[in-house]
Amino acid sequence: MEVYRTPDATFAQLPDFPWDPAYAQVADPDGGTMRMAYVDVGPVDGPVALLLHGEPSWSFLYRQVIRVLADHGIRCVAPDLIGFGRSDKPLHTSDYSYARLVEWTRELVLEHLQLREITLVGQDWGGLIGLRLLAEHPDRFVRVVAANTGLPTGDVDMPEVWWRFRRAVEKAQVLDIGRLVDGGCARPMTPQVRAAYDAPFPDERAKAGPRAMPGLVPTRPDDPASDANRAAWLMLSTCELPFLLPFSDADPITAAMAPILRRHVPGARDRSHPTIERAGHFLQEDAGPELGQVIAQFMQR
């Protein structure tokens, strides 16, 4: 598998993200290994929050959340998915699949880091991957925060705004990562922050992951990931773990998923779920401190 490794110098001017990365080796399909990056912040003996980002962001997205959680004595583990951030980036869209993204994350979190009693925090693809991990390894998790995310099976169509996003990614000759993140925010983004989202991708060839991700979302009942996601829903329909849904008030992509999760996940019923106001799809960027406080209070309850 051909991979691209973003030069470290590209990350030299990140605003408000001072933490050094750590790395682990995860298996590639050809029998080799790839380097997967993560930051591990907060007391090593504190309760664990696993912070999973989505498309096309990276762990930088959680910087404001991490500060709040660490101040509350919570250990924050924020990986960069393979293809994103400081992690290695396979150069062909065919190198990516939903199953591989789940497996690479599982290998890092459950084997290399051997995390237990995990509070899952997933947004966008972070939820698609994290909810699969929860369903397949429920003994490793103690609570869930699902924010602007869901678990599609292809049995219900995605909203038109998502299809427009997918078509834009597929047609773009040059994929403007910073613009995509900025477009998913409800509050102004500084040029320095936008540049931080561009930083992992100084070479257009390295963007195979962001290009591939929209096509990996199950959009038809016979999608390769549909059966595994249906199996995950069977587990979630009996899941009594505390389940919090802090969705934002301005995300047309995932808004419809919150009531589905509230109805079908026992741990989400009869619970007050906060709405993060003045926040778009990337609510960590728009309202990181507010989201951090919500997560900290939930974990300390």
Side-chain angles (χ1 to χ4, degrees):
M1 182 179 287
E2 293 182 276
V3 300
Y4 178 88
R5 181 169 294 175
T6 305
D8 291 343
T10 306
F11 300 100
Q13 302 296 323
L14 298 175
D16 199 30
F17 195 72
W19 307 291
D20 292 329
Y23 300 98
Q25 298 296 317
V26 297
D28 73 32
D30 298 329
T33 61
M34 292 180 294
R35 192 176 77 168
M36 191 166 180
Y38 62 97
V39 294
D40 193 340
V41 182
V44 294
D45 58 348
V48 177
L50 174 64
L51 310 175
L52 296 181
H53 72 84
E55 150 86 345
S57 60
W58 59 293
S59 57
F60 175 80
L61 178 69
Y62 278 103
R63 66 196 183 282
Q64 300 176 82
V65 175
I66 288 172
R67 289 191 180 279
V68 173
L69 296 184
D71 286 345
H72 281 82
I74 295 168
R75 178 186 176 188
C76 301
V77 177
D80 293 338
L81 299 179
I82 289 292
F84 297 83
R86 292 183 172 106
S87 291
D88 284 348
K89 301 168 181 66
L91 289 177
H92 305 289
T93 56
S94 60
D95 294 330
Y96 295 85
S97 72
Y98 196 148
R100 286 177 180 175
L101 289 162
V102 172
E103 175 58 21
W104 288 326
T105 308
R106 184 204 63 79
E107 189 173 351
L108 171 71
V109 172
L110 303 187
E111 291 189 14
H112 177 78
L113 292 172
Q114 297 186 349
L115 299 183
R116 296 183 180 276
E117 298 186 356
I118 302 166
T119 294
L120 168 65
V121 180
Q123 179 263 342
D124 189 80
W125 264 96
L128 273 70
I129 294 169
L131 292 174
R132 280 276 297 275
L133 290 178
L134 165 69
E136 295 165 13
H137 306 276
D139 59 310
R140 305 293 281 270
F141 295 85
V142 294
R143 64 182 67 81
V144 180
V145 179
N148 288 2
T149 191
L151 192 64
T153 62
D155 298 302
V156 177
D157 197 10
M158 298 292 287
E160 176 57 28
V161 65
W162 180 86
W163 281 107
R164 289 199 298 268
F165 166 75
R166 174 172 166 168
R167 289 191 291 267
V169 170
E170 290 173 342
K171 294 178 180 178
Q173 292 187 351
V174 175
L175 195 60
D176 190 334
I177 301 296
R179 180 182 178 185
L180 289 176
V181 179
D182 193 11
C185 293
R187 306 186 194 183
M189 180 183 291
T190 68
Q192 293 79 12
V193 168
R194 181 164 168 169
Y197 287 109
D198 286 323
F201 305 105
D203 190 312
E204 195 67 24
R205 298 177 306 150
K207 300 175 185 177
R211 288 188 180 276
M213 292 288 258
L216 302 182
V217 176
T219 57
R220 61 182 195 276
D222 61 345
D223 185 275
S226 292
D227 284 345
N229 280 15
R230 290 191 193 101
W233 269 111
L234 288 176
M235 181 275 169
L236 291 175
S237 68
T238 64
C239 181
E240 300 283 352
L241 294 182
F243 214 102
L244 191 68
L245 305 170
F247 277 55
S248 67
D249 64 350
D251 181 18
I253 295 176
T254 65
M257 299 178 185
I260 294 172
L261 288 163
R262 284 198 298 267
R263 282 198 307 269
H264 292 284
V265 180
R269 296 176 195 153
D270 303 319
R271 186 181 298 279
S272 177
H273 299 282
T275 297
I276 307 299
E277 297 182 350
R278 294 183 58 242
H281 182 62
F282 298 103
L283 72 172
Q284 306 98 313
E285 184 61 51
D286 280 330
E290 296 96 319
L291 180 61
Q293 289 293 343
V294 165
I295 297 169
Q297 291 169 11
F298 180 55
M299 292 183 67
Q300 294 171 342
R301 216 167 279 164

